[in-house]
Structure formats: C-alpha cells, structure tokens
Amino acid sequence: EHDSKAHLARQYPCAPLARALIVRFVPSRPANSMIKACLSELCASCCSCVLPPSSPRAADQEMASDGAITHRSVDVNGVRLHVAEAGPAGAPAALLLHGFPEVWYTWRHQMRALAAAGYRAVAPDMRGYGGSDAPPGGPDQYTALHVVGDLVALIDSLGEKQVFVVAHDWGAMIAWSLCLFRPDRVKALVALSVPFSPRSPARKPVDGLKALYGDEYYICRIQEPGAIEAEFARLGTELVLRKFFTYRTPGPLFIPKSGWGSPDDEVPLPSWITEEDIKYYAAQFDKSGFTGGLNYYRALNKTWELTSPWTGAEIKVPTKFIVGDVDLSYHVAGAHDFINKGGLKKFVPLLDDVVVMKDVGHFINEEKPEEISAHIISFIKKFD
C-alpha cells in the first residue's frame, strides 16, 4: 500500500497540495479515481497532470515538466487572468502579449529563450481568451483602456515598477496603447507585425476600413456580434485556425458573406506549426469561444472615442519594430511608406530599429522563433 501511495505522489509533481492529500488520505483505487476527477476540475494549470496526454491541459503540464514554464491565475482590474511564466523570480520581467487568434502558447519558444537569457517571461491569456475571464458587457469591456488597465495591474502584481514588453498583432496594438498611456511602466518595447497607428481625428477606424476595403474585409465582417461566430461554428474551430495561421497573402483578408469556404476544406500546415499546436489552440477556443477575441475588433471605434486626448501624442518608449514582408499588416494601405519613410519614427521618436524579414508572414514569432528571440534579447539587453 505504501508503494502505491508513493507512486501516486510521484504522479502529481506539479500539485503539492494534491500530493499531500493523496499520500495522506487515499486508501483505495475507487477513492483515487474520485479524487483525481475532483482535482482535475480545480485548476487547469496545477492539476493538469491528472489528465491524459492528449488533453490540452496535459500539454501545459508537459511544457512545465522541465521547470521552464509554469501557470497560475492572477486577479487584476476586476478579471482573472491565466498567466504562464518562465525564468527566475526577481529577474527583469518581460511581458509577452499575444494577438488573435492566439493565447499565451504563441510565446512558448520566446519564453524559454528569455528564461535561458536570465529574464522572467510573463505571458498572460488576454481578457476574453483561453483560461482568462471574459467579462460580461460586450465589446465595450474590451477597449484599449480596459485592457491596458489589466496590464498595469498585472505589472503591479509582479512587484515591478517597469517591465519590458514584447507584443504581436492585437497584443502589439495594446502594447502601443500601454506605452502611450503609461510609458513610466515600460522599459522598452519590441512590437511585432502591427505598427503604431496614430489616431485620426477625422474618421473612426472601422468606418475608414469599410470605406477602403468594403463590408467583406475581415475587420468589417467581425463587427456584427454573432455573425462571424456563426460562420466559424459552421466551419469548425480547427479549420478556422488553420485558415488564419496559413494566410500568407501580402494583402487584405476578406471573409465573404457567402461563406469562408467549406467545412470540408483541407488546409495543410507549414513546417513551423504542428498538428499538436493547432489542436492545443483549438482546445482553448473550444473552451472560451471566439467572442472575447473578436470583441477587441468590435471595440475599435469605442477606443477611438475614448482616446481623443491622445490625438497627436508620441510614443516615448525605446522601441524595436519587426515585420515580415508578406505579412498582411505590412500591406495595409499606406503602411509600407509609414514604416519605412519616417512616419513611424515621427510618432515613435525613440524607435531604435525597424527589421523587415524576407519571406515571412504574419505569425512571425512562431514562423521564425530563433531569429525573433535573438532580436528581442539583443534589444532589451541594452536597457538592463
């Protein structure tokens, strides 16, 4: 019996409380099974080891088993965020912000690289994504001010006055806002894919995109609550993710009202993302739904209304910007010239460098993990 209990204890390396309970109180196999079932519902991070290897929560535990990545929940700004972390406590912190349709997992490569370089990597699921809360109240709860509020509270919870910020896609958009609203909390920024977009006092952003690209441009299609969710449900979560992750057309993305293809479409994956990666992402969005992430797009015009005091304001944070040359964001009307001919530098006067990576698409940190990690570390080391 003692050997059986010792085996159970070793089975739960990530849950000290679970280990203690099992060693002390579990007398029989039926009780073992019952406690496992209960524990598996307690915490998606700490107790993921009670789940089979095919489970997405077991994938989290597999990543944590080498001590590199751990998971916890943090209460901030009225919401609870799931946070993945790597690296030594007390080391300089780097806050990693994901975009759509991603979760913390998009930073798995950079987290290990940062930890090995002596940094504390902190990657939350942003509000509405993955294991984090999706606050009620609709798109108005997803303005830049709300999400930046989450991040400031998260930085406070780390016990840090300032952090490095690394951000991609929507994460980059929020990071620009964090630097605009609270530059005192950011040591330096590495922004991927999406450049700073100065506020235009003349036109709301969604209105401008609709005038430029029409109603079937993906950001415009997202605006009607429920409509794009129904289309994604028709196609299936995994296929939707495959379509996004494999999009490499250097131009605008359209989602026709007649349908974004067939549920039977076959979309092969590139070498940089695996079937297991897609299944992990799919499990996260099956759990949370897409609405939280889509609400960031639906809050664009509301953010525009609330940020009029920052019209014309500059980003006063040291910054490095990196983009792929076949990224759709690099080919938004006017973006190429804005990035390369002084517009970005005008609004980001502490812009240190712009890197345009050849033949690289939108999901740059996953497609070129080693190169992006090297860019991040070499830049933030200047400000240690």
Side-chain angles (χ1 to χ4, degrees):
E1 183 182 46
H2 176 77
D3 289 344
S4 175
K5 289 177 180 178
H7 172 74
L8 282 168
R10 288 194 299 271
Q11 191 177 349
Y12 297 86
C14 74
L17 176 60
R19 183 169 63 246
L21 287 170
I22 290 167
V23 170
R24 185 174 179 185
F25 296 115
V26 177
S28 65
R29 184 172 298 276
N32 295 352
S33 300
M34 181 176 67
I35 288 179
K36 287 182 186 180
C38 294
L39 286 172
S40 70
E41 296 303 315
L42 287 177
C43 175
S45 302
C46 294
C47 298
S48 57
C49 52
V50 304
L51 298 167
S54 61
S55 160
R57 281 186 278 176
D60 282 347
Q61 175 57 19
E62 181 182 350
M63 299 202 60
S65 64
D66 62 1
I69 297 178
T70 60
H71 300 264
R72 63 190 177 100
S73 294
V74 182
D75 290 318
V76 298
N77 195 31
V79 297
R80 174 165 289 189
L81 299 184
H82 165 247
V83 178
E85 293 180 278
L95 188 61
L96 306 170
L97 308 180
H98 70 79
F100 180 87
E102 300 168 314
V103 290
W104 74 270
Y105 187 80
T106 191
W107 298 113
R108 59 200 180 278
H109 308 295
Q110 287 74 36
M111 292 182 74
R112 288 201 173 97
L114 283 161
Y119 295 93
R120 180 186 182 187
V122 181
D125 287 344
M126 307 289 273
R127 68 162 57 198
Y129 285 91
S132 293
D133 286 349
D140 284 357
Q141 297 298 308
Y142 291 82
T143 71
L145 280 81
H146 287 84
V147 186
V148 168
D150 296 347
L151 300 181
V152 171
L154 178 57
I155 295 168
D156 288 342
S157 78
L158 300 174
E160 300 285 351
K161 292 183 177 179
Q162 286 190 314
V163 296
F164 297 110
V165 177
V166 181
H168 173 250
D169 185 74
W170 253 107
M173 294 179 68
I174 295 300
W176 292 118
S177 293
L178 172 62
C179 293
L180 191 63
F181 304 156
R182 294 300 304 271
D184 59 306
R185 306 309 300 267
V186 183
K187 290 181 184 177
L189 168 67
V190 180
L192 308 179
S193 296
V194 178
F196 177 64
S197 181
R199 182 184 183 277
S200 168
R203 177 178 279 178
K204 296 180 180 180
V206 176
D207 299 2
L209 291 169
K210 186 174 292 189
L212 188 62
Y213 294 119
D215 291 340
E216 294 188 339
Y217 182 59
Y218 79 106
I219 292 176
C220 301
R221 281 279 280 123
I222 286 170
Q223 295 305 308
E224 182 185 348
I228 205 69
E229 286 94 333
E231 175 63 6
F232 289 176
R234 183 184 70 84
L235 293 171
T237 302
E238 188 171 320
L239 179 56
V240 168
L241 293 169
R242 285 174 177 268
K243 285 176 177 283
F244 276 117
F245 277 108
T246 60
Y247 187 84
R248 288 179 64 85
T249 301
L253 169 62
F254 296 97
I255 301 180
K257 293 182 179 179
S258 58
W260 199 22
S262 164
D264 298 323
D265 289 346
E266 294 187 5
V267 181
L269 298 175
S271 61
W272 50 265
I273 190 167
T274 68
E275 294 289 342
E276 290 73 21
D277 295 333
I278 287 291
K279 289 185 184 303
Y280 181 84
Y281 279 117
Q284 298 304 299
F285 282 98
D286 280 339
K287 176 174 64 177
S288 67
F290 284 101
T291 298
L294 296 171
N295 279 342
Y296 286 69
Y297 296 94
R298 293 167 180 156
L300 275 167
N301 280 355
K302 188 65 173 180
T303 291
W304 178 88
E305 293 174 10
L306 296 173
T307 54
S308 60
W310 288 274
T311 300
E314 298 175 350
I315 300 291
K316 298 291 184 67
V317 170
T319 299
K320 184 171 191 171
F321 179 69
I322 310 172
V323 67
D325 70 349
V326 292
D327 188 333
L328 76 168
S329 300
Y330 191 50
H331 295 274
V332 171
H336 189 278
D337 286 348
F338 179 76
I339 292 167
N340 295 293
K341 295 185 177 179
L344 184 58
K345 179 71 173 178
K346 176 183 176 183
F347 284 95
V348 189
L350 299 181
L351 181 67
D352 183 85
D353 194 14
V354 171
V355 177
V356 181
M357 299 182 72
K358 185 174 177 57
D359 196 32
V360 178
H362 183 66
F363 296 94
I364 190 168
N365 51 309
E366 299 213 42
E367 185 174 347
K368 297 292 181 183
E370 293 84 6
E371 292 92 328
I372 292 300
S373 295
H375 277 300
I376 292 167
I377 292 166
S378 65
F379 181 62
I380 66 177
K381 275 186 174 179
K382 298 178 181 181
F383 307 96
D384 279 353

